[in-house]
Amino acid sequence: MSYNPLDPAVTSNPYPHYAQLRANEPVKWLDMMQGFAVSRWDDVEAVLSDGKTFSSAQFWPALLGEYDPVPEVQPMISLDPPGHVRIRKLANKAFVPSRVGALSDRIRSVTHELIDDIFAKHGGEGEFDFVWEFSGLFPVSVIAEVLGVDIARRVDFKNWVDDLLAAGNRAAYGPERLAEIDKSSQAIRAYFEQVYDERSANPGDDLISGFIQAEVNGERLTRSEVLNMAILLLIGGVETTTNLLGITFAHLKTHPDIAAAIWADPTRIPALLEEMLRFDGPVQMLFRHTTCDTELAGIAIPKGSLVLPLLGSANHDERKFDRSEELVLDRNPKEIMSFGQGPHFCLGSYLSRMEAKSALEILTARFESIEAIGETVKWSDSYFARGPKSLPVRFKAR
């Protein structure tokens, strides 16, 4: 069994491939990626914790390549300390628990609105696409409010984000798919250029206005830095929660005992989400580059090499977790790799957890049942982000 992250058969279920890597080649050179895949927990943690040896500076270029909508500046995700700290301090203001907690009512109202729309369209029982009628619209509605962008464009936002993340697979695509990705890259840039001009002329209390007006050590963010930050936060705000919810319902289909337990006792939802983040996380890998010659698990890695810490594999490492390949509702993992580690730990992790918890609580309260239809799930083609492209479900309202 060979590990090729560009192969759709691998992206649909990478975990058997990860297991083989951990057992036989914990640090493996991948020709198709021109980089080293790192699969064991301790080694992944070492890479993410050592920003001096394993730099983030090429993260965004490695993921998006020529389809980066704002290529003239590095996004926060690609900045190493100390430059990273300046931008992150600004972004942190949007995601401190007190500010996120203030969104709680809006998160719940968005959930109810989407469920009302489903009932209005499909009645009290029937079928709908969970991704395109709920999980894909729910978090984008929340992050749109945070950023101060037009919620009516939320389907566009979802499509643009999907296409940008698909750029990671650009080596495997033909001209038609690449043209779609390029079109989305240009569209998202044009949209936020317009928003920037509007907020510059008429600032509000939204995050983009805050970025435009903010000063750090007497300096303001440049136009490109604001555009970059807004697009990065849109991507993070859309993709993680969308995929976490889609993944959860995909696996509840194959774990009916866990579904029954959650419906019977919704207080177990936080435990389910933590285990789901471990078992099948929405982000599968990250990108680092070595700043010097180094060694990992006995493998020499030259300076300037691409290193791919596999978060999804680390979360399945049998050295870290008992029954690591099983979904165990009450596992309550104390540590998971799903939001990264070190200086680039995902600052939206609190928001994503809160969104998913609120959504599941309301879904279990308003639906007697929701069950995925069909034997197979159509997974996204991205090896970086993982989640269902679509998820037809059968439902019955309470």
Side-chain angles (χ1 to χ4, degrees):
M1 184 184 293
S2 62
Y3 173 63
N4 176 1
L6 301 179
D7 183 348
V10 174
T11 54
S12 69
N13 183 14
Y15 296 101
H17 301 266
Y18 293 160
Q20 191 169 64
L21 288 177
R22 290 193 305 273
N24 302 321
E25 296 179 275
V27 176
K28 177 178 174 59
W29 171 257
L30 303 177
D31 273 332
M32 75 292 298
M33 301 294 290
Q34 289 294 291
F36 293 88
V38 180
S39 55
R40 290 180 182 171
W41 176 281
D42 287 347
D43 296 327
V44 169
E45 186 173 50
V47 170
L48 297 182
S49 301
D50 183 1
K52 289 184 178 180
T53 304
F54 301 96
S55 168
S56 300
Q58 296 300 312
F59 187 137
W60 219 229
L63 180 62
L64 300 185
E66 62 269 37
Y67 302 102
D68 184 350
V70 193
E72 61 268 29
V73 293
Q74 286 184 307
M76 178 176 60
I77 204 169
S78 281
L79 287 171
D80 293 320
H84 164 261
V85 176
R86 166 178 169 260
I87 302 289
R88 189 175 177 103
K89 279 183 178 177
L90 283 176
N92 264 334
K93 294 177 181 178
F95 294 101
V96 294
S98 59
R99 180 154 184 169
V100 171
L103 287 170
S104 178
D105 288 345
R106 180 58 184 151
I107 288 169
R108 298 184 74 81
S109 67
V110 166
T111 307
H112 283 295
E113 288 163 12
L114 291 171
I115 293 171
D116 290 343
D117 289 345
I118 290 167
F119 290 164
K121 182 177 179 181
H122 301 286
E125 62 181 301
E127 299 176 3
F128 70 96
D129 190 311
F130 185 80
V131 171
W132 286 99
E133 295 183 60
F134 184 79
S135 66
L137 302 181
F138 162 61
V140 76
S141 304
V142 177
I143 201 66
E145 181 152 318
V146 173
L147 291 172
V149 294
D150 184 5
I151 196 172
R153 301 291 299 274
R154 61 190 181 185
V155 174
D156 287 334
F157 297 150
K158 176 75 172 86
N159 282 318
W160 294 342
V161 168
D162 285 350
D163 281 349
L164 281 182
L165 291 178
N169 280 34
R170 57 194 175 277
Y173 292 142
E176 187 174 337
R177 182 69 179 112
L178 294 175
E180 292 172 352
I181 295 170
D182 187 53
K183 184 178 179 181
S184 287
S185 177
Q186 293 184 44
I188 200 169
R189 167 86 185 226
Y191 177 79
F192 279 101
E193 291 271 16
Q194 179 185 343
V195 172
Y196 183 97
D197 291 337
E198 291 171 354
R199 296 297 185 280
S200 294
N202 298 291
D205 60 0
D206 57 273
L207 201 55
I208 292 177
S209 295
F211 288 153
I212 293 170
Q213 296 173 311
E215 291 189 8
V216 179
N217 300 327
E219 292 182 23
R220 288 197 171 188
L221 295 179
T222 66
R223 181 189 187 95
S224 294
E225 284 177 324
V226 173
L227 296 177
N228 210 318
M229 181 73 82
I231 291 171
L232 178 62
L233 294 180
L234 179 69
I235 292 172
V238 170
E239 204 65 16
T240 304
T241 308
T242 292
N243 285 344
L244 175 55
L245 288 170
I247 287 167
T248 297
F249 277 90
H251 288 300
L252 288 180
K253 158 82 171 180
T254 54
H255 295 78
D257 55 328
I258 294 179
I262 291 302
W263 251 263
D265 183 3
T267 64
R268 302 175 79 179
I269 285 171
L272 170 66
L273 290 173
E274 289 306 298
E275 173 64 349
M276 196 62 71
L277 283 165
R278 184 205 67 83
F279 181 72
D280 199 1
V283 176
Q284 288 291 302
M285 71 168 68
L286 299 175
F287 302 82
R288 297 292 186 265
H289 284 78
T290 50
T291 59
C292 58
D293 292 347
T294 189
E295 183 178 295
L296 205 59
I299 302 296
I301 304 178
K303 177 182 178 179
S305 297
L306 171 64
V307 176
L308 304 163
L310 303 177
L311 306 184
S313 178
N315 279 333
H316 277 239
D317 192 339
E318 43 284 307
R319 296 158 195 80
K320 183 74 175 177
F321 303 101
D322 293 332
R323 299 161 63 196
S324 62
E325 302 289 359
E326 297 178 37
L327 182 65
V328 180
L329 176 56
D330 294 317
R331 182 189 299 274
N332 190 25
K334 300 301 181 187
E335 289 183 283
I336 53 174
M337 200 66 75
S338 313
F339 293 105
Q341 297 277 2
H344 283 280
F345 180 79
C346 176
L347 52 79
S349 61
Y350 184 85
L351 175 60
S352 183
R353 283 181 166 108
M354 191 177 82
E355 287 178 324
K357 175 178 176 289
S358 294
L360 278 172
E361 286 172 347
I362 295 170
L363 288 166
T364 54
R366 297 195 60 183
F367 288 86
E368 184 177 307
S369 61
I370 304 174
E371 183 178 325
I373 302 167
E375 297 303 313
T376 58
V377 175
K378 293 180 181 177
W379 296 96
S380 66
D381 359 356
S382 171
Y383 55 77
F384 167 73
R386 178 164 167 79
K389 280 185 181 179
S390 64
L391 191 68
V393 297
R394 185 175 296 111
F395 76 95
K396 185 174 183 180
R398 288 199 187 273

